[in-house]
């Protein structure tokens, strides 16, 4: 009785898949990016309305030229808004990623998951504290570029543990951060573009490529 022929290409594909599962956290859901993008767009809208209420029609442009006392007055609300956005984005990301990991039969808080989280958190925490210092010292025009740049660097740092699309998202955020330095008056628009539409676009790309049946 002859043995069935072995397909070398199929074997190589299987070996590659096993190696990828062991070296990369592939349970990251594209829907997490879409949800985070929606949160960022809503937060940008809320921030825009708040600044218009505080400074009139100039809104964000007036914030760029605000005095120290004016910045101190609006800082608690902006920090509260930022914390709310981060909490909502993390909750959405955790829900969809946990759902995908469960379907794939992979643990969410594995060694790779912890490495991914740590590689993201260090640049994000450092960048957040740095941007608060910029705001308090009057360099308001550099806050949004700083947020985009540090977030892009965090994604680049974490991309070695997850899908390749995260690297390109990181490079996109860095490019937008550098562009925002040249156009500081459009900082809020670039914030919505990077954290909002950027996440939604890459999230849909990842979902269609890896998750859609």
């Amino acid at each position: 009785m002859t043995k069935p022929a072995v397909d070398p290409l199929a074997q190589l594909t299987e070996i590659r898949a096993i190696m990828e599962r062991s070296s990369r956290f592939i349970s990251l859901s594209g829907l997490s990016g879409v949800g985070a993008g929606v949160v960022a767009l809503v937060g940008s809208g809320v921030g825009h309305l708040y600044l218009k209420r505080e400074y009139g029609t100039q809104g964000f442009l007036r914030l760029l030229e605000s005095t120290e006392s004016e910045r101190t007055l609006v800082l608690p609300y902006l920090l509260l808004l930022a914390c709310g956005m981060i909490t909502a984005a993390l909750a959405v990301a955790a829900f969809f990623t946990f759902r995908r990991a469960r379907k794939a039969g992979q643990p969410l808080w594995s060694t790779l998951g912890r490495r991914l989280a740590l590689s993201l958190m260090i640049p994000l925490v450092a960048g957040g504290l740095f941007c608060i210092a910029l705001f308090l010292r009057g360099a308001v025009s550099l806050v949004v570029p700083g947020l985009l740049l540090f977030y892009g660097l965090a994604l680049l740092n974490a991309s070695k543990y997850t899908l390749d699309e995260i690297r390109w998202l990181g490079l996109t955020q860095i490019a937008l951060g550098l562009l925002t330095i040249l156009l500081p008056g459009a900082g809020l628009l670039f914030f919505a573009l990077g954290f909002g539409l950027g996440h939604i676009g890459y999230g849909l790309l990842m979902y269609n490529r890896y998750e859609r049946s």
Side-chain angles (χ1 to χ4, degrees):
M1 188 173 179
T2 59
K3 295 182 179 180
V6 177
D7 186 354
L9 182 60
Q11 284 188 323
L12 288 175
T13 302
E14 183 177 356
I15 292 172
R16 180 181 178 183
I18 294 173
M19 293 179 64
E20 186 177 51
R21 286 196 296 269
S22 64
S23 62
R24 291 195 172 193
F25 185 82
I26 59 175
S27 296
L28 193 64
S29 174
L31 295 179
S32 300
V34 175
V38 172
V39 170
L41 289 177
V42 172
S44 300
V46 172
H48 174 69
L49 293 176
Y50 172 75
L51 292 176
K52 285 189 68 174
R53 190 188 72 182
E54 292 294 317
Y55 298 124
T57 55
Q58 289 187 320
F60 183 77
L61 294 175
R62 179 66 182 83
L63 179 64
L64 297 179
E65 302 173 355
S66 59
T67 63
E68 182 178 356
S69 60
E70 288 174 330
R71 291 193 301 273
T72 304
L73 187 63
V74 300
L75 181 60
Y77 182 88
L78 295 179
L79 286 177
L80 182 63
L81 177 61
C83 290
M85 292 169 61
I86 293 172
T87 302
L90 288 176
V92 171
F95 172 79
F96 285 112
T97 300
F98 174 76
R99 189 179 70 168
R100 187 182 180 196
R102 184 175 59 181
K103 287 182 178 179
Q106 296 180 334
L108 181 62
W109 197 240
S110 60
T111 300
L112 282 174
R114 290 192 293 271
R115 288 177 181 174
L116 175 64
L118 184 62
S119 60
L120 275 172
M121 289 304 299
I122 292 176
L124 288 179
V125 172
L129 294 175
F130 181 73
C131 288
I132 292 175
L134 288 176
F135 185 87
L136 292 175
R137 293 179 179 271
V140 182
S141 62
L142 295 178
V143 171
V144 174
L147 291 173
L148 290 167
L149 287 171
F150 274 99
Y151 183 57
L153 292 173
L155 292 176
L156 281 181
N157 192 42
S159 63
K160 56 183 176 287
Y161 298 117
T162 186
L163 302 172
D164 290 336
E165 284 78 6
I166 299 301
R167 179 184 300 109
W168 293 107
L169 178 58
L171 291 173
T172 301
Q173 302 291 347
I174 291 173
L176 288 173
L178 294 175
L179 186 59
T180 311
I181 295 176
L182 302 177
L183 301 168
L188 198 58
L189 177 62
F190 279 105
F191 182 93
L193 183 61
F195 291 103
L197 297 182
H199 273 132
I200 292 174
Y202 276 89
L204 290 175
L205 175 66
M206 291 170 60
Y207 177 77
N208 288 322
R209 182 171 292 180
Y210 300 110
E211 301 173 61
R212 189 172 182 177
S213 300

